[in-house]
Amino acid sequence: MSEWSIDEQQLLELNTYLQRTDDVLIHNCLTRTAQESKLFPIMPYLQMIFYDQYYRMPDLIRKATAVMSPEEMGHRARNSSLNMGKVTSWGTLNFYLNGRTNLLKAGMLKPEDNVEDLWTMVDWHKRFNAAFHRNAAHQWVLDSNDIAQEHDERVLQVFEADAFEANQELRDAAAKFTALGTQYNFLIHCESRVGLQCSGPYRLGGKRLMHTRDFTNMSECGFSWMDGVGDTVDHNNLTLVVLTDEVTMEITDWGTAYTQPENYQPRITGVGLYTSDFLTDRYVPVGMDSRQDLIDTLNEMSEQMKEATKKLYRRFSEMTMNQMIEAGIYTYFQCASDIARLAGVYEQREWEYIDERSARFWEIHNEEYSLDEYVSHFAAMDGHLAAQNDYYLHPVSYSVWRKSGGQGDVPPPGRNANLIPAHILDGHDYPRRVNPNGLSDSKGSSRLPEKSTPYTFVQGKLTQDEMNQAAREFNSPLLESPWRNFDEQHVKWNHEDEDVQAMYRYTQESSRLLKDKGSSLVRADIEEIRRAAGENAWSDIETGAAKPVPAEA
Amino acid sequence: MKHPTANPKWTLPEGTALARMTREEVFDRVVANAEKLGDAKWSDVVSDRWDELFSKADGDELAQDIFKRFKEEEGRPFYAGCEIAVIEHPDLYVSRSEEATILSPDDFPEGVVGDGDNAFQAEDVTGEIMIVREVSEVDRLITEGVPEGVIGVIDDAGGTMTAPILPDFEAVICLAGTVRSHLAIIAREFGVPTLMNVRLARHLVDGEKVTVKYSTVAQNVEAYFGEDLNERAQIIPEG
């Protein structure tokens, strides 16, 4: 039985984090989405995942962090595109907090109950994101005004240098790939966007920007419904590098890019394509031998995804409603599964079942109530247990009211953050953990078939045991001292040191234009390197690719 | 055992009847169950005796009670967003889109049958309406193909219902969502002109010809944050 206790510094830190987390949640819920689907019972699965996350995730995080620190996970996620990133780490914490909200509002918890679990979840999120966002040094993308600059300069330089200048054929291929990939990914993830993550925008000078688009879980992966569907899609994770001119962009905590103009595709000036996973420490070029190779690869991938979309659509259309709800729950629950994979402790059976404590609420969460509950908790912030004192103004709802010019009454004093009462410092009757005996306290079952195929990696297909062994044996100089600590603040002053040069050369090993160029490159050098290779520097290209594009790069 | 959160100093009403009655039913059951637990410690109940506080049987029973009470008070079954809920449980659900609000023709300029938020600015499109509401219909169109020049009418702002056929439409009219919804995101990527959050003066009919003013400026993505809305794009019947 845990005797963990919280001190005042931790309590204040925790409550501050809970409030900021909730501000980000409410902001995104109010402005970013309309939760609905004609195909999937999205609202029931969205509410039901919250319970499973509450009952199981703290112990799953303890299991993984016993092997690997949250900081290590953050560095890994920054160096290659995993499914664990912005939106999935956001989900890992927020689904838990939303489960807490649901249980609080049902009268089954007090705010201080299971406070050690709460600390574990917040601590993991804070530390993972601090490492993941090491360069930008923001916890939340919203804190940097919706720009998500995660990649290191050494990675971005390769992306910039190696991207192929877009002619109309490449532009069309990239647009088609993005559209089909986005659609296919929404379907894989039961209408959710947790398999899609963008980063950037990154400055290229003039009115040029670069951003990346990650498409994850595209092949046979941790979802049983991808067995025999994703097998014809060659790559599980793909990262599209997109250079644009005269496009403005924001990227949210949910990893979605919104552009102005909305149809930005005609303003794409350069494209690159890569794959990676947690068993690679760098981005591996895909179809990057020539522009024509890239066009052909993007078109081939598009055809693969188009056919897989049809197969997957039919698979889902044969499911029962309860199976579809479970698929949605597992999609969200597995947001965090990379932490177990990274640590080499992944067990599929731990990630695909419904806890019996969650199952209590299954029938209550009909379609309409689930939507009403979502709106009540995360937009309207109303209800019997939602009020703060009569003077309270919520920072987001008040901001909406203020920006509307004060139309209508000042918003009611609803609050969703559910802070921990300070009386906990004086000792009260509350449990520390939801599972006093760990994961063995969690029991449940599943209506979906068990996963039966291997998992897809850059190095090929691996069984669960092979995957865990490969994860435990994985190492990279990028993750060990001294390179691990060569952040951009170090590079700024020490770019001529041989150790730093070696780290950049390691990153450039598969680069078509920067191989062995080292760490002292700046943009002007990259532009000269492109010109020397017979390609236009990005600053040479006028909007709309007015200058002739070389016949073949 | 006295329930620890049964009497908060400050409260707010729930925004919908269903949210209110579900909270009342569940919360009251939890409070009643807690009272039966005598001198038990709250921390033990939360951790080890959770099924005595609220059991699966409680949940199943209350779900039926809530439906009965809701139907009596509201005079209808639950709304469902997804098709499979209505197919599997026709007694429990009616499709939300069946109940879509049709505005008065007086809410629109003369000759205009509806309007919506433009997902991105494109050229105007004239085409025949095809209403797509069912998975079986999508399945048929996967096999047979979408006829050329068709404007698809979809009442789902998600990105999956029409996933296999969306790029084959000439344009799309979506009766729900916002310009930030998944459907709008995908439509922009495909370059399929799309109106979101469409309001109508009457139901559109399969095969009728309309012109949609996709040349209207795109809706401001920040408009849902209380800033100015752009003009909505109009739908005009032909002939």
Side-chain angles (χ1 to χ4, degrees):
Chain A
M1 189 69 72
S2 172
E3 293 300 324
W4 188 87
S5 64
I6 193 166
D7 64 26
E8 185 168 19
Q9 182 182 346
Q10 289 172 316
L11 176 68
L12 296 173
E13 193 180 323
L14 181 59
N15 278 343
T16 303
Y17 208 79
L18 289 179
Q19 183 60 53
R20 184 57 191 151
T21 303
D22 202 60
D23 293 344
V24 174
L25 168 75
I26 301 297
H27 174 86
N28 279 294
C29 286
L30 283 179
T31 61
R32 306 302 180 199
T33 192
Q35 299 284 359
E36 59 179 321
S37 170
K38 192 89 179 195
L39 183 61
F40 289 98
I42 188 169
M43 294 316 301
Y45 85 61
L46 190 59
Q47 289 295 337
M48 290 303 300
I49 164 65
F50 297 159
Y51 298 106
D52 260 77
Q53 192 88 357
Y54 186 82
Y55 288 120
R56 293 156 61 193
M57 196 52 66
D59 284 305
L60 286 166
I61 284 184
R62 284 189 193 100
K63 180 178 175 180
T65 53
V67 178
M68 181 180 288
S69 71
E71 288 82 6
E72 179 87 5
M73 294 174 187
H75 290 309
R76 293 282 291 274
R78 197 182 63 253
N79 274 290
S80 51
S81 291
L82 316 181
N83 187 237
M84 176 55 75
K86 272 188 300 295
V87 64
T88 41
S89 67
W90 174 91
T92 300
L93 176 60
N94 274 270
F95 300 157
Y96 172 85
L97 294 177
N98 296 347
R100 179 172 172 261
T101 295
N102 281 9
L103 290 164
L104 281 166
K105 288 197 170 184
M108 295 182 212
L109 285 181
K110 293 183 295 175
E112 61 268 44
D113 287 346
N114 303 320
V115 68
E116 184 183 3
D117 285 348
L118 182 59
W119 178 265
T120 298
M121 296 300 295
V122 166
D123 180 65
W124 177 83
H125 184 270
K126 185 190 295 184
R127 293 166 60 189
F128 172 87
N129 274 285
F132 181 62
H133 293 292
R134 180 169 76 170
N135 297 320
H138 290 106
Q139 279 286 317
W140 303 100
V141 172
L142 187 61
D143 293 337
S144 58
N145 290 322
D146 286 328
I147 54 175
Q149 302 189 81
E150 287 127 17
H151 290 303
D152 295 297
E153 186 216 27
R154 58 189 165 79
V155 176
L156 294 169
Q157 285 189 327
V158 172
F159 287 166
E160 178 189 352
D162 287 358
F164 288 101
E165 183 177 342
N167 58 8
Q168 195 54 46
E169 196 180 359
L170 177 54
R171 205 171 281 124
D172 289 346
K176 185 177 169 188
F177 170 87
T178 305
L180 284 164
T182 304
Q183 188 178 57
Y184 174 50
N185 206 278
F186 276 141
L187 190 60
I188 292 166
H189 295 88
C190 304
E191 188 68 62
S192 84
R193 59 183 90 190
V194 295
L196 298 166
Q197 300 197 55
C198 299
S199 87
Y202 302 98
R203 179 182 170 278
L204 292 181
K207 294 182 179 178
R208 296 175 297 280
L209 294 171
M210 178 167 68
H211 72 283
T212 67
R213 290 175 179 245
D214 295 338
F215 303 82
T216 63
N217 295 328
M218 306 278 272
S219 188
E220 287 176 325
C221 54
F223 303 137
S224 61
W225 51 93
M226 292 297 284
D227 291 356
V229 166
D231 56 335
T232 52
V233 177
D234 289 342
H235 301 283
N236 195 43
N237 297 343
L238 284 166
T239 296
L240 188 74
V241 175
V242 183
L243 285 69
T244 56
D245 197 4
E246 296 196 0
V247 174
T248 65
M249 177 175 301
E250 65 177 55
I251 291 174
T252 68
D253 279 293
W254 290 354
T256 309
Y258 294 98
T259 64
Q260 289 284 342
E262 293 80 3
N263 48 339
Y264 66 94
Q265 294 88 347
R267 302 182 190 211
I268 293 175
T269 54
V271 181
L273 186 66
Y274 299 84
T275 185
S276 63
D277 55 52
F278 69 85
L279 297 177
T280 68
D281 62 353
R282 288 166 287 179
Y283 285 91
V284 179
V286 178
M288 293 289 283
D289 288 343
S290 68
R291 182 168 59 205
Q292 191 57 49
D293 183 31
L294 181 56
I295 292 166
D296 293 344
T297 302
L298 287 167
N299 286 335
E300 185 185 348
M301 290 302 307
S302 292
E303 284 308 308
Q304 289 178 5
M305 294 188 295
K306 195 173 177 181
E307 288 310 306
T309 297
K310 290 177 185 172
K311 282 198 286 183
L312 185 55
Y313 191 87
R314 289 193 161 127
R315 174 158 295 178
F316 278 126
S317 67
E318 289 166 358
M319 285 188 184
T320 65
M321 182 174 173
N322 281 338
Q323 286 179 317
M324 294 178 93
I325 292 172
E326 282 198 12
I329 290 171
Y330 301 157
T331 297
Y332 273 167
F333 195 73
Q334 288 204 25
C335 278
S337 61
D338 270 352
I339 63 172
R341 293 191 177 94
L342 285 164
V345 297
Y346 182 80
E347 293 179 73
Q348 182 77 33
R349 62 182 171 79
E350 290 183 334
W351 298 87
E352 283 198 349
Y353 70 90
I354 305 299
D355 190 287
E356 60 186 352
R357 290 165 289 188
S358 308
R360 292 179 290 173
F361 309 107
W362 196 276
E363 297 299 327
I364 289 172
H365 283 83
N366 61 67
E367 279 263 306
E368 183 164 349
Y369 173 64
S370 297
L371 176 60
D372 285 1
E373 188 181 34
Y374 178 90
V375 172
S376 172
H377 293 193
F378 312 124
M381 293 175 285
D382 60 16
H384 188 65
L385 297 185
Q388 198 58 45
N389 70 60
D390 291 333
Y391 303 97
Y392 183 74
L393 292 171
H394 190 282
V396 178
S397 56
Y398 176 68
S399 173
V400 171
W401 178 82
R402 188 169 52 81
K403 286 184 179 179
S404 75
Q407 292 175 27
D409 291 340
V410 172
R415 187 178 197 179
N416 187 58
N418 298 308
L419 306 188
I420 305 292
H423 67 218
I424 193 174
L425 299 172
D426 296 326
H428 279 258
D429 175 28
Y430 60 90
R432 268 58 170 182
R433 298 183 179 190
V434 73
N435 296 320
N437 307 300
L439 282 169
S440 63
D441 285 343
S442 174
K443 298 174 181 62
S445 59
S446 174
R447 298 175 176 90
L448 284 175
E450 285 184 20
K451 177 172 172 56
S452 60
T453 65
Y455 305 81
T456 310
F457 292 92
V458 174
Q459 61 178 262
K461 301 275 187 181
L462 298 177
T463 64
Q464 178 175 291
D465 288 345
E466 291 167 341
M467 174 173 72
N468 282 330
Q469 184 177 346
R472 288 193 292 268
E473 291 171 357
F474 180 84
N475 59 65
S476 164
L478 289 169
L479 298 163
E480 294 164 8
S481 179
W483 289 6
R484 174 178 168 144
N485 300 325
F486 288 174
D487 61 7
E488 289 180 3
Q489 305 318 309
H490 179 85
V491 171
K492 181 174 181 177
W493 312 111
N494 300 282
H495 60 94
E496 293 174 322
D497 286 1
E498 181 45 38
D499 276 349
V500 178
Q501 295 278 2
M503 180 177 74
Y504 270 66
R505 284 197 294 270
Y506 184 80
T507 305
Q508 295 158 352
E509 203 168 64
S510 299
S511 169
R512 66 187 187 90
L513 294 183
L514 294 191
K515 187 172 173 60
D516 291 333
K517 299 294 185 189
S519 54
S520 291
L521 298 173
V522 292
R523 172 149 299 127
D525 300 315
I526 292 173
E527 299 219 315
E528 283 310 309
I529 288 167
R530 284 186 61 87
R531 290 187 188 108
E535 300 181 39
N536 281 322
W538 302 112
S539 63
D540 296 339
I541 302 168
E542 295 172 14
T543 304
K547 283 189 177 178
V549 176
E552 186 48 77
Chain B
M1 183 179 67
K2 184 176 181 292
H3 190 280
T5 64
N7 187 27
K9 178 175 180 181
W10 314 292
T11 66
L12 286 168
E14 279 81 10
T16 68
L18 183 56
R20 173 182 48 77
M21 66 179 68
T22 303
R23 189 264 307 162
E24 287 172 353
E25 296 279 351
V26 172
F27 203 96
D28 290 352
R29 178 66 60 94
V30 170
V31 171
N33 286 343
E35 285 174 359
K36 293 178 195 164
L37 292 172
D39 296 331
K41 283 175 64 181
W42 174 257
S43 55
D44 292 336
V45 170
V46 170
S47 299
D48 298 328
R49 300 173 68 179
W50 50 268
D51 58 333
E52 293 176 68
L53 199 58
F54 194 81
S55 67
K56 176 82 166 64
D58 285 325
D60 292 353
E61 182 190 336
L62 289 188
Q64 291 187 19
D65 291 350
I66 291 164
F67 177 67
K68 190 176 168 194
R69 186 176 158 194
F70 180 83
K71 203 167 178 188
E72 282 173 5
E73 290 185 21
E74 299 298 311
R76 63 169 174 84
F78 296 139
Y79 284 150
C82 69
E83 182 191 16
I84 194 168
V86 182
I87 291 172
E88 284 192 8
H89 307 285
D91 51 330
L92 206 60
Y93 290 113
V94 60
S95 173
R96 188 181 298 274
S97 55
E98 296 293 336
E99 304 294 320
T101 306
I102 298 294
L103 302 184
S104 162
D106 296 339
D107 292 324
F108 299 93
E110 191 174 344
V112 173
V113 71
D115 61 20
D117 294 327
N118 205 4
F120 66 94
Q121 195 168 27
E123 293 181 4
D124 294 345
V125 173
T126 301
E128 286 188 4
I129 291 294
M130 175 185 276
I131 297 166
V132 182
R133 278 187 166 165
E134 297 173 2
V135 173
S136 59
E137 179 74 354
V138 175
D139 218 25
R140 184 183 65 79
L141 291 168
I142 291 173
T143 305
E144 297 177 8
V146 176
E148 281 192 22
V150 158
I151 300 175
V153 177
I154 302 169
D155 50 20
D156 165 29
T160 53
M161 170 73 179
T162 51
I165 56 170
L166 182 69
D168 301 329
F169 290 121
E170 190 73 21
V172 165
I173 290 171
C174 179
L175 305 181
T178 75
V179 290
R180 285 187 179 265
S181 295
H182 292 176
L183 181 70
I185 292 169
I186 293 173
R188 282 192 287 268
E189 297 295 350
F190 275 121
V192 177
T194 295
L195 294 194
M196 301 298 296
N197 186 27
V198 166
R199 308 174 305 182
L200 295 169
R202 61 167 171 79
H203 288 292
L204 295 170
V205 180
D206 263 329
E208 81 166 295
K209 200 170 184 182
V210 299
T211 293
V212 184
K213 306 296 276 185
Y214 292 107
S215 60
T216 307
V217 67
Q219 186 53 272
N220 174 13
V221 292
E222 297 295 336
Y224 304 95
F225 206 53
E227 296 181 359
D228 292 340
L229 285 162
N230 287 331
E231 177 190 0
R232 287 165 67 85
Q234 296 178 338
I235 303 167
I236 300 162
E238 293 292 320

